[in-house]
Amino acid sequence: MLNKYKVFLFTLGFFLILILLIHLKYESEKFPKKQITEIKLQIDKNKSFDNIEQLDNLENLSNDFDGQANEYITYTLNAGDSLQKVFMKFGLPIRDLNLIKDKLPVNKKIYPGQLIEWKQSSQNSKIIEFNIYHNQSEIDNFEWKNNYYQYRKIVKRGVKVDRYVKGYIENNFYQSAIKTGLNATQIHEIGQALSHKINLSKDVKKNDQFIVLMEEEILKKNIISSRVKAVLYEQNNTKIFAFKYNNQFYNEKGFRNLAKFLPYPTKKLYRISSHFNPRRLHPVTKRITPHRGIDYAMPTGTRIHSVGHGIVIASHKNRYSGNIISIKHTGGYITKYLHLHKRIVKKGQRVKKGQLIGLSGNTGISTGPHLHFEILKHNKHLDPYRVSKMIKQQVQNRKKFYAQTSPIKQKLIGELESG
Ligand SMILES: [Zn+2]
């Protein structure tokens, strides 16, 4: 009896010790494992963002053995990922996703390479904070507060610094500009800015010099944005300037080229079936009749847009022109759109450049579906093909313009001559 009792106690003790050992082993493995996954997530974050502050966090985390230092889980979206897929992958509550989606501005899209980050409640698995990083400085932030997700757009602002970039032409402008660290968008912008005087894709010469003033925004040692503020291009001792002012480029006298009219009244260019011709043999009447516009061959129903801002002075139908719309613009210009299938604007209506005014057709005296388009200046017909669609526009406040650009101009010249 006594022996049986001893054996029982011994066996019980043995199992208790065994359970304790298993438990200890489990505990010792549990935390380091969690630690590793979180460090990995942090490293991913650093890869995409090269963010110094995150590095600091990583170091703190490594020294912290309870594994609770960072409750945020970070994930970089892959091609084909949707938020739905990510939620399923991580077993996150879909109900929360739907609530978050309700608050996400409609124009915001997610794309591969983008970083998302979330924090869950320790009691239940509810997502209490959700972040979508659009870039290093713009974050969509959703925080669970008072039983709903509160949306905030967080924009981190950096410090603005001016930087002068200098280069000279070896072969072409693009290559030389890339060498100085400018990107393709900025190079295109500079080309546009100087187009009033020089075509940088054609007219450059070896050893021409250029100076670009860049404004860079720096956040935590990273350049988060950079924009072209001014350009000086020198060829044969001639200096060409462009200054950004009110978000547009102007020359040093404060002028800019402005597209008054669209190049043609359709989205894409259609084949010209008949040019402007004051002495044309009319295809229907066989008499010499001036062709006072351009005919563009296009299928009936093609969308027709006003080439400029203006007021509709005629919108009606007659037996020659079919459905016709006339629009009056500033500077004594009138544009006319003939043979339309459908007119969408009414007489007296104000229209914007590019606004849809009707659909092309084959109405009136016409040999096939086309748009007959005319431009008149002071009631005289011009060849729409040759009318300069550009006008010069000067800044409204020249004093202010000079006050702002003169110091930059001197600095650009100084940089150029500093060798
Ligand atoms: Zn015509």
Side-chain angles (χ1 to χ4, degrees):
M1 189 63 188
L2 193 69
N3 271 352
K4 260 189 185 171
Y5 189 59
K6 268 185 183 166
V7 168
F8 173 69
L9 269 184
F10 180 77
T11 314
L12 186 71
F14 176 78
F15 277 108
L16 276 175
I17 288 164
L18 196 68
I19 287 164
L20 186 71
L21 279 173
I22 289 168
H23 183 71
L24 276 176
K25 185 164 162 43
Y26 173 72
E27 280 297 303
S28 65
E29 275 182 350
K30 192 168 110 187
F31 286 118
K33 250 188 197 162
K34 193 172 181 190
Q35 193 80 26
I36 286 162
T37 52
E38 275 173 358
I39 289 171
K40 189 174 163 286
L41 289 165
Q42 280 294 325
I43 290 167
D44 281 344
K45 191 170 181 171
N46 282 303
K47 242 187 219 161
S48 336
F49 284 82
D50 194 27
N51 193 320
I52 304 302
E53 197 180 76
Q54 302 299 341
L55 268 176
D56 294 341
N57 282 350
L58 180 61
E59 277 155 20
N60 291 341
L61 183 66
S62 313
N63 296 331
D64 201 341
F65 277 92
D66 69 7
Q68 297 297 314
N70 187 9
E71 302 156 302
Y72 288 96
I73 303 291
T74 310
Y75 178 77
T76 304
L77 294 168
N78 294 313
D81 267 345
S82 63
L83 289 180
Q84 180 96 15
K85 277 188 187 167
V86 175
F87 268 62
M88 308 235 297
K89 189 170 171 178
F90 286 86
L92 305 173
I94 296 294
R95 205 182 92 89
D96 291 355
L97 174 62
N98 292 332
L99 292 171
I100 287 166
K101 273 186 173 169
D102 283 347
K103 295 280 169 155
L104 185 69
V106 280
N107 57 341
K108 290 286 175 67
K109 292 220 163 69
I110 61 155
Y111 43 86
Q114 218 174 358
L115 203 92
I116 57 171
E117 179 185 70
W118 63 88
K119 188 179 182 177
Q120 283 175 283
S121 157
S122 50
Q123 283 117 40
N124 49 44
S125 56
K126 176 130 207 97
I127 291 182
I128 48 176
E129 194 184 331
F130 192 77
N131 290 314
I132 302 174
Y133 286 73
H134 290 279
N135 50 50
Q136 291 175 63
S137 59
E138 192 188 322
I139 304 157
D140 281 325
N141 169 268
F142 305 86
E143 211 176 330
W144 183 255
K145 259 185 190 169
N146 307 323
N147 279 330
Y148 73 98
Y149 284 105
Q150 189 182 305
Y151 167 74
R152 270 192 316 155
K153 181 177 153 182
I154 300 175
V155 179
K156 294 183 183 171
R157 298 235 178 268
V159 180
K160 286 184 178 169
V161 181
D162 280 353
R163 189 164 70 91
Y164 289 86
V165 169
K166 190 172 181 175
Y168 65 95
I169 304 296
E170 287 170 85
N171 294 308
N172 59 57
F173 178 68
Y174 188 86
Q175 276 180 14
S176 306
I178 285 283
K179 269 192 186 169
T180 67
L182 293 165
N183 67 36
T185 311
Q186 290 160 346
I187 293 168
H188 177 76
E189 202 183 1
I190 291 166
Q192 294 284 307
L194 296 177
S195 64
H196 60 93
K197 265 288 174 59
I198 187 167
N199 182 341
L200 287 184
S201 57
K202 284 203 307 212
D203 305 331
V204 299
K205 290 180 184 155
K206 195 174 160 75
N207 295 327
D208 286 354
Q209 288 194 82
F210 57 90
I211 307 279
V212 182
L213 169 59
M214 305 290 298
E215 185 186 75
E216 295 179 333
E217 195 178 350
I218 295 174
L219 181 70
K220 290 170 189 161
K221 298 179 189 172
N222 294 307
I223 299 168
I224 57 167
S225 75
S226 73
R227 61 181 206 114
V228 178
K229 265 174 90 178
V231 187
L232 163 56
Y233 190 93
E234 192 185 53
Q235 185 175 73
N236 304 333
N237 291 319
T238 302
K239 292 180 175 62
I240 306 166
F241 292 93
F243 299 96
K244 199 163 225 177
Y245 181 77
N246 289 342
N247 243 355
Q248 304 284 347
F249 278 105
Y250 291 88
N251 71 11
E252 77 264 42
K253 299 230 163 67
F255 282 98
R256 70 169 175 139
N257 284 331
L258 186 70
K260 183 180 177 67
F261 295 129
L262 297 175
Y264 35 82
T266 41
K267 259 255 149 67
K268 65 166 200 173
L269 178 61
Y270 287 91
R271 182 177 64 85
I272 294 175
S273 53
S274 180
H275 281 274
F276 179 83
N277 183 355
R279 293 192 53 80
R280 181 186 65 153
L281 192 66
H282 195 277
V284 177
T285 63
K286 304 288 177 200
R287 271 186 295 215
I288 298 259
T289 326
H291 188 233
R292 303 191 296 186
I294 287 185
D295 289 347
Y296 295 102
M298 63 184 70
T300 293
T302 304
R303 295 159 77 89
I304 304 301
H305 305 268
S306 171
V307 293
H309 299 292
I311 293 173
V312 178
I313 52 169
S315 175
H316 55 79
K317 189 174 186 176
N318 71 45
R319 52 186 285 240
Y320 303 104
S321 311
N323 281 308
I324 172 173
I325 292 171
S326 301
I327 296 171
K328 191 181 175 186
H329 310 275
T330 55
Y333 285 96
I334 290 171
T335 55
K336 294 185 178 181
Y337 312 79
L338 278 69
H339 310 302
L340 299 174
H341 174 67
K342 196 179 175 193
R343 291 174 279 115
I344 292 171
V345 290
K346 289 193 170 70
K347 189 177 169 179
Q349 189 177 333
R350 212 166 260 283
V351 291
K352 286 187 173 161
K353 182 163 85 177
Q355 186 174 331
L356 181 69
I357 54 169
L359 301 177
S360 74
N362 190 23
T363 56
I365 298 178
S366 169
T367 51
H370 78 286
L371 175 77
H372 173 101
F373 173 61
E374 294 181 3
I375 296 185
L376 297 85
K377 188 172 186 182
H378 302 311
N379 290 320
K380 189 177 177 290
H381 283 85
L382 304 174
D383 182 352
Y385 195 69
R386 293 180 195 284
V387 169
S388 169
K389 311 291 193 301
M390 307 297 280
I391 53 162
K392 280 204 181 303
Q393 192 195 49
Q394 196 172 22
V395 291
Q396 295 205 329
N397 189 339
R398 267 182 287 172
K399 228 177 165 180
K400 196 176 154 200
F401 175 80
Y402 285 129
Q404 193 174 315
T405 58
S406 296
I408 297 172
K409 186 177 174 181
Q410 291 315 312
K411 196 84 204 290
L412 286 169
I413 294 170
E415 288 285 330
L416 186 79
E417 283 163 1
S418 70

